[in-house]
mmCIF file of all heavy atoms in Angstrom:
data_model
loop_
_atom_site.group_PDB
_atom_site.id
_atom_site.type_symbol
_atom_site.label_atom_id
_atom_site.label_comp_id
_atom_site.label_asym_id
_atom_site.label_seq_id
_atom_site.Cartn_x
_atom_site.Cartn_y
_atom_site.Cartn_z
ATOM 1 N N GLY A 236 -18.809 3.855 -10.892
ATOM 2 C CA GLY A 236 -17.362 3.581 -11.062
ATOM 3 C C GLY A 236 -16.579 4.809 -11.560
ATOM 4 O O GLY A 236 -15.436 4.981 -11.159
ATOM 5 N N THR A 237 -17.267 5.638 -12.299
ATOM 6 C CA THR A 237 -16.617 6.881 -12.752
ATOM 7 C C THR A 237 -16.431 7.886 -11.635
ATOM 8 O O THR A 237 -15.443 8.514 -11.541
ATOM 9 C CB THR A 237 -17.465 7.494 -13.912
ATOM 10 O OG1 THR A 237 -17.606 6.527 -14.952
ATOM 11 C CG2 THR A 237 -16.838 8.740 -14.451
ATOM 12 N N ILE A 238 -17.378 7.932 -10.702
ATOM 13 C CA ILE A 238 -17.253 8.761 -9.485
ATOM 14 C C ILE A 238 -16.022 8.247 -8.700
ATOM 15 O O ILE A 238 -15.240 9.059 -8.220
ATOM 16 C CB ILE A 238 -18.525 8.774 -8.651
ATOM 17 C CG1 ILE A 238 -19.682 9.502 -9.388
ATOM 18 C CG2 ILE A 238 -18.246 9.426 -7.295
ATOM 19 C CD1 ILE A 238 -21.047 9.390 -8.705
ATOM 20 N N GLN A 239 -15.931 6.937 -8.628
ATOM 21 C CA GLN A 239 -14.813 6.410 -7.819
ATOM 22 C C GLN A 239 -13.467 6.712 -8.484
ATOM 23 O O GLN A 239 -12.485 7.084 -7.780
ATOM 24 C CB GLN A 239 -14.950 4.866 -7.706
ATOM 25 C CG GLN A 239 -16.130 4.450 -6.813
ATOM 26 C CD GLN A 239 -16.147 2.963 -6.640
ATOM 27 O OE1 GLN A 239 -16.601 2.217 -7.532
ATOM 28 N NE2 GLN A 239 -15.694 2.466 -5.508
ATOM 29 N N ALA A 240 -13.415 6.681 -9.846
ATOM 30 C CA ALA A 240 -12.190 7.058 -10.539
ATOM 31 C C ALA A 240 -11.877 8.551 -10.256
ATOM 32 O O ALA A 240 -10.718 8.898 -9.977
ATOM 33 C CB ALA A 240 -12.316 6.840 -12.008
ATOM 34 N N ALA A 241 -12.899 9.398 -10.277
ATOM 35 C CA ALA A 241 -12.690 10.826 -10.030
ATOM 36 C C ALA A 241 -12.141 11.071 -8.612
ATOM 37 O O ALA A 241 -11.276 11.910 -8.427
ATOM 38 C CB ALA A 241 -14.011 11.584 -10.238
ATOM 39 N N GLU A 242 -12.642 10.254 -7.659
ATOM 40 C CA GLU A 242 -12.141 10.349 -6.296
ATOM 41 C C GLU A 242 -10.664 9.986 -6.226
ATOM 42 O O GLU A 242 -9.894 10.640 -5.542
ATOM 43 C CB GLU A 242 -12.976 9.463 -5.335
ATOM 44 C CG GLU A 242 -14.356 10.007 -5.065
ATOM 45 C CD GLU A 242 -14.319 11.291 -4.227
ATOM 46 O OE1 GLU A 242 -14.003 11.221 -3.026
ATOM 47 O OE2 GLU A 242 -14.605 12.353 -4.788
ATOM 48 N N ALA A 243 -10.299 8.930 -6.925
ATOM 49 C CA ALA A 243 -8.888 8.522 -6.931
ATOM 50 C C ALA A 243 -8.024 9.645 -7.543
ATOM 51 O O ALA A 243 -7.002 9.972 -6.997
ATOM 52 C CB ALA A 243 -8.729 7.247 -7.739
ATOM 53 N N LEU A 244 -8.470 10.192 -8.669
ATOM 54 C CA LEU A 244 -7.697 11.227 -9.342
ATOM 55 C C LEU A 244 -7.623 12.483 -8.472
ATOM 56 O O LEU A 244 -6.570 13.138 -8.343
ATOM 57 C CB LEU A 244 -8.295 11.557 -10.681
ATOM 58 C CG LEU A 244 -8.468 10.417 -11.695
ATOM 59 C CD1 LEU A 244 -9.027 10.933 -13.006
ATOM 60 C CD2 LEU A 244 -7.150 9.728 -11.902
ATOM 61 N N LYS A 245 -8.695 12.845 -7.774
ATOM 62 C CA LYS A 245 -8.704 13.996 -6.872
ATOM 63 C C LYS A 245 -7.765 13.731 -5.691
ATOM 64 O O LYS A 245 -7.022 14.642 -5.289
ATOM 65 C CB LYS A 245 -10.091 14.297 -6.372
ATOM 66 C CG LYS A 245 -10.961 15.027 -7.358
ATOM 67 C CD LYS A 245 -12.463 14.889 -6.993
ATOM 68 C CE LYS A 245 -12.681 15.354 -5.555
ATOM 69 N NZ LYS A 245 -14.027 14.938 -5.022
ATOM 70 N N TYR A 246 -7.850 12.606 -5.112
ATOM 71 C CA TYR A 246 -7.004 12.262 -3.963
ATOM 72 C C TYR A 246 -5.529 12.416 -4.342
ATOM 73 O O TYR A 246 -4.704 13.008 -3.632
ATOM 74 C CB TYR A 246 -7.286 10.854 -3.438
ATOM 75 C CG TYR A 246 -6.260 10.487 -2.334
ATOM 76 C CD1 TYR A 246 -6.387 11.040 -1.049
ATOM 77 C CD2 TYR A 246 -5.134 9.761 -2.648
ATOM 78 C CE1 TYR A 246 -5.484 10.770 -0.076
ATOM 79 C CE2 TYR A 246 -4.204 9.429 -1.671
ATOM 80 C CZ TYR A 246 -4.369 9.966 -0.394
ATOM 81 O OH TYR A 246 -3.455 9.717 0.576
ATOM 82 N N ILE A 247 -5.149 11.854 -5.516
ATOM 83 C CA ILE A 247 -3.726 11.834 -5.888
ATOM 84 C C ILE A 247 -3.259 13.253 -6.270
ATOM 85 O O ILE A 247 -2.140 13.617 -5.881
ATOM 86 C CB ILE A 247 -3.511 10.844 -7.052
ATOM 87 C CG1 ILE A 247 -3.707 9.441 -6.490
ATOM 88 C CG2 ILE A 247 -2.139 10.990 -7.656
ATOM 89 C CD1 ILE A 247 -4.007 8.397 -7.537
ATOM 90 N N THR A 248 -4.073 14.030 -6.953
ATOM 91 C CA THR A 248 -3.623 15.317 -7.397
ATOM 92 C C THR A 248 -3.852 16.346 -6.240
ATOM 93 O O THR A 248 -3.234 17.425 -6.332
ATOM 94 C CB THR A 248 -4.412 15.839 -8.626
ATOM 95 O OG1 THR A 248 -5.817 15.831 -8.316
ATOM 96 C CG2 THR A 248 -4.156 14.939 -9.838
ATOM 97 N N GLY A 249 -4.689 16.038 -5.291
ATOM 98 C CA GLY A 249 -4.976 17.004 -4.221
ATOM 99 C C GLY A 249 -6.037 18.023 -4.668
ATOM 100 O O GLY A 249 -6.298 18.984 -3.967
ATOM 101 N N ALA A 250 -6.619 17.777 -5.822
ATOM 102 C CA ALA A 250 -7.669 18.757 -6.321
ATOM 103 C C ALA A 250 -8.949 18.624 -5.504
ATOM 104 O O ALA A 250 -9.421 17.505 -5.252
ATOM 105 C CB ALA A 250 -7.974 18.469 -7.766
ATOM 106 N N GLY A 251 -9.497 19.717 -5.104
ATOM 107 C CA GLY A 251 -10.805 19.717 -4.431
ATOM 108 C C GLY A 251 -10.737 18.942 -3.121
ATOM 109 O O GLY A 251 -9.795 18.832 -2.423
ATOM 110 N N GLU A 252 -11.911 18.411 -2.792
ATOM 111 C CA GLU A 252 -12.107 17.625 -1.547
ATOM 112 C C GLU A 252 -12.691 16.298 -1.875
ATOM 113 O O GLU A 252 -13.682 16.234 -2.587
ATOM 114 C CB GLU A 252 -13.009 18.349 -0.542
ATOM 115 C CG GLU A 252 -12.338 19.550 0.139
ATOM 116 C CD GLU A 252 -13.339 20.502 0.738
ATOM 117 O OE1 GLU A 252 -14.416 20.015 1.212
ATOM 118 O OE2 GLU A 252 -13.079 21.688 0.740
ATOM 119 N N VAL A 253 -12.135 15.224 -1.360
ATOM 120 C CA VAL A 253 -12.714 13.898 -1.617
ATOM 121 C C VAL A 253 -13.969 13.709 -0.737
ATOM 122 O O VAL A 253 -14.240 14.479 0.130
ATOM 123 C CB VAL A 253 -11.714 12.757 -1.346
ATOM 124 C CG1 VAL A 253 -10.573 12.828 -2.380
ATOM 125 C CG2 VAL A 253 -11.154 12.791 0.042
ATOM 126 N N LEU A 254 -14.690 12.674 -1.047
ATOM 127 C CA LEU A 254 -15.934 12.382 -0.389
ATOM 128 C C LEU A 254 -15.684 11.740 0.969
ATOM 129 O O LEU A 254 -16.197 10.643 1.262
ATOM 130 C CB LEU A 254 -16.722 11.353 -1.220
ATOM 131 C CG LEU A 254 -17.868 11.820 -2.134
ATOM 132 C CD1 LEU A 254 -18.398 10.618 -2.884
ATOM 133 C CD2 LEU A 254 -18.954 12.508 -1.386
ATOM 134 N N ALA A 255 -14.867 12.395 1.795
ATOM 135 C CA ALA A 255 -14.580 11.843 3.130
ATOM 136 C C ALA A 255 -15.630 12.423 4.133
ATOM 137 O O ALA A 255 -16.045 13.564 3.950
ATOM 138 C CB ALA A 255 -13.165 12.259 3.542
ATOM 139 N N ASP A 256 -15.975 11.640 5.132
ATOM 140 C CA ASP A 256 -17.004 12.006 6.050
ATOM 141 C C ASP A 256 -18.303 12.393 5.346
ATOM 142 O O ASP A 256 -19.061 13.270 5.748
ATOM 143 C CB ASP A 256 -16.568 13.190 6.953
ATOM 144 C CG ASP A 256 -15.630 12.754 8.093
ATOM 145 O OD1 ASP A 256 -15.805 11.580 8.526
ATOM 146 O OD2 ASP A 256 -14.719 13.496 8.440
ATOM 147 N N ALA A 257 -18.525 11.663 4.259
ATOM 148 C CA ALA A 257 -19.795 11.916 3.485
ATOM 149 C C ALA A 257 -20.152 10.663 2.705
ATOM 150 O O ALA A 257 -19.232 9.902 2.270
ATOM 151 C CB ALA A 257 -19.587 13.074 2.553
ATOM 152 N N LEU A 258 -21.424 10.401 2.616
ATOM 153 C CA LEU A 258 -21.907 9.291 1.764
ATOM 154 C C LEU A 258 -22.728 9.873 0.663
ATOM 155 O O LEU A 258 -23.719 10.560 0.913
ATOM 156 C CB LEU A 258 -22.755 8.311 2.609
ATOM 157 C CG LEU A 258 -23.359 7.084 1.870
ATOM 158 C CD1 LEU A 258 -22.280 6.061 1.562
ATOM 159 C CD2 LEU A 258 -24.448 6.464 2.743
ATOM 160 N N LEU A 259 -22.348 9.620 -0.581
ATOM 161 C CA LEU A 259 -23.098 10.105 -1.694
ATOM 162 C C LEU A 259 -24.033 8.956 -2.228
ATOM 163 O O LEU A 259 -23.504 7.852 -2.447
ATOM 164 C CB LEU A 259 -22.164 10.561 -2.845
ATOM 165 C CG LEU A 259 -22.885 11.055 -4.139
ATOM 166 C CD1 LEU A 259 -23.468 12.431 -3.901
ATOM 167 C CD2 LEU A 259 -21.904 11.066 -5.293
ATOM 168 N N THR A 260 -25.284 9.232 -2.273
ATOM 169 C CA THR A 260 -26.211 8.196 -2.787
ATOM 170 C C THR A 260 -26.971 8.830 -3.963
ATOM 171 O O THR A 260 -27.215 10.034 -4.024
ATOM 172 C CB THR A 260 -27.236 7.732 -1.740
ATOM 173 O OG1 THR A 260 -28.042 8.796 -1.375
ATOM 174 C CG2 THR A 260 -26.539 7.173 -0.515
ATOM 175 N N PHE A 261 -27.314 7.995 -4.916
ATOM 176 C CA PHE A 261 -28.203 8.478 -5.991
ATOM 177 C C PHE A 261 -29.175 7.419 -6.409
ATOM 178 O O PHE A 261 -28.925 6.183 -6.225
ATOM 179 C CB PHE A 261 -27.396 9.017 -7.177
ATOM 180 C CG PHE A 261 -26.653 8.010 -7.946
ATOM 181 C CD1 PHE A 261 -27.274 7.219 -8.896
ATOM 182 C CD2 PHE A 261 -25.286 7.860 -7.754
ATOM 183 C CE1 PHE A 261 -26.539 6.269 -9.647
ATOM 184 C CE2 PHE A 261 -24.564 6.901 -8.505
ATOM 185 C CZ PHE A 261 -25.195 6.117 -9.453
ATOM 186 N N ASP A 262 -30.316 7.908 -6.884
ATOM 187 C CA ASP A 262 -31.338 7.051 -7.473
ATOM 188 C C ASP A 262 -31.495 7.538 -8.898
ATOM 189 O O ASP A 262 -31.986 8.669 -9.149
ATOM 190 C CB ASP A 262 -32.657 7.212 -6.680
ATOM 191 C CG ASP A 262 -33.787 6.321 -7.198
ATOM 192 O OD1 ASP A 262 -33.585 5.769 -8.328
ATOM 193 O OD2 ASP A 262 -34.772 6.174 -6.576
ATOM 194 N N ALA A 263 -31.101 6.721 -9.860
ATOM 195 C CA ALA A 263 -31.088 7.153 -11.241
ATOM 196 C C ALA A 263 -32.510 7.245 -11.847
ATOM 197 O O ALA A 263 -32.693 7.804 -12.950
ATOM 198 C CB ALA A 263 -30.200 6.272 -12.096
ATOM 199 N N LEU A 264 -33.512 6.677 -11.191
ATOM 200 C CA LEU A 264 -34.859 6.746 -11.768
ATOM 201 C C LEU A 264 -35.379 8.160 -11.771
ATOM 202 O O LEU A 264 -35.687 8.687 -12.854
ATOM 203 C CB LEU A 264 -35.833 5.786 -11.019
ATOM 204 C CG LEU A 264 -35.726 4.318 -11.450
ATOM 205 C CD1 LEU A 264 -36.722 3.454 -10.643
ATOM 206 C CD2 LEU A 264 -36.000 4.161 -12.952
ATOM 207 N N PRO A 265 -35.439 8.892 -10.625
ATOM 208 C CA PRO A 265 -35.736 10.298 -10.719
ATOM 209 C C PRO A 265 -34.472 11.140 -10.932
ATOM 210 O O PRO A 265 -34.541 12.317 -11.077
ATOM 211 C CB PRO A 265 -36.324 10.617 -9.322
ATOM 212 C CG PRO A 265 -35.702 9.587 -8.405
ATOM 213 C CD PRO A 265 -35.361 8.377 -9.219
ATOM 214 N N MET A 266 -33.295 10.473 -10.918
ATOM 215 C CA MET A 266 -31.968 11.068 -10.999
ATOM 216 C C MET A 266 -31.772 12.058 -9.866
ATOM 217 O O MET A 266 -31.354 13.213 -10.033
ATOM 218 C CB MET A 266 -31.736 11.753 -12.351
ATOM 219 C CG MET A 266 -30.265 11.840 -12.686
ATOM 220 S SD MET A 266 -29.360 10.283 -12.571
ATOM 221 C CE MET A 266 -29.443 9.654 -14.275
ATOM 222 N N ASN A 267 -32.020 11.547 -8.630
ATOM 223 C CA ASN A 267 -31.757 12.360 -7.427
ATOM 224 C C ASN A 267 -30.409 11.976 -6.831
ATOM 225 O O ASN A 267 -30.132 10.787 -6.692
ATOM 226 C CB ASN A 267 -32.869 12.063 -6.380
ATOM 227 C CG ASN A 267 -34.124 12.804 -6.683
ATOM 228 O OD1 ASN A 267 -34.164 13.732 -7.456
ATOM 229 N ND2 ASN A 267 -35.255 12.330 -6.111
ATOM 230 N N PHE A 268 -29.686 12.960 -6.446
ATOM 231 C CA PHE A 268 -28.404 12.741 -5.750
ATOM 232 C C PHE A 268 -28.529 13.324 -4.355
ATOM 233 O O PHE A 268 -29.157 14.388 -4.140
ATOM 234 C CB PHE A 268 -27.271 13.514 -6.437
ATOM 235 C CG PHE A 268 -26.726 12.818 -7.673
ATOM 236 C CD1 PHE A 268 -27.502 12.760 -8.828
ATOM 237 C CD2 PHE A 268 -25.537 12.195 -7.674
ATOM 238 C CE1 PHE A 268 -27.062 12.080 -9.974
ATOM 239 C CE2 PHE A 268 -25.016 11.514 -8.792
ATOM 240 C CZ PHE A 268 -25.809 11.464 -9.957
ATOM 241 N N ARG A 269 -27.944 12.680 -3.385
ATOM 242 C CA ARG A 269 -27.977 13.144 -1.999
ATOM 243 C C ARG A 269 -26.626 12.916 -1.360
ATOM 244 O O ARG A 269 -26.004 11.839 -1.567
ATOM 245 C CB ARG A 269 -29.024 12.302 -1.231
ATOM 246 C CG ARG A 269 -29.561 12.992 0.026
ATOM 247 C CD ARG A 269 -30.917 12.408 0.361
ATOM 248 N NE ARG A 269 -30.837 11.028 0.783
ATOM 249 C CZ ARG A 269 -30.993 10.596 2.051
ATOM 250 N NH1 ARG A 269 -31.316 11.471 2.982
ATOM 251 N NH2 ARG A 269 -30.886 9.340 2.345
#
Side-chain angles (χ1 to χ4, degrees):
Chain A
T237 303
I238 293 173
Q239 292 184 282
E242 287 291 289
L244 303 183
K245 282 163 53 195
Y246 174 77
I247 291 158
T248 57
E252 285 162 33
V253 292
L254 262 177
D256 282 328
L258 180 73
L259 178 74
T260 63
F261 67 81
D262 181 348
L264 279 179
M266 205 52 94
N267 284 340
F268 281 71
R269 200 157 68 109

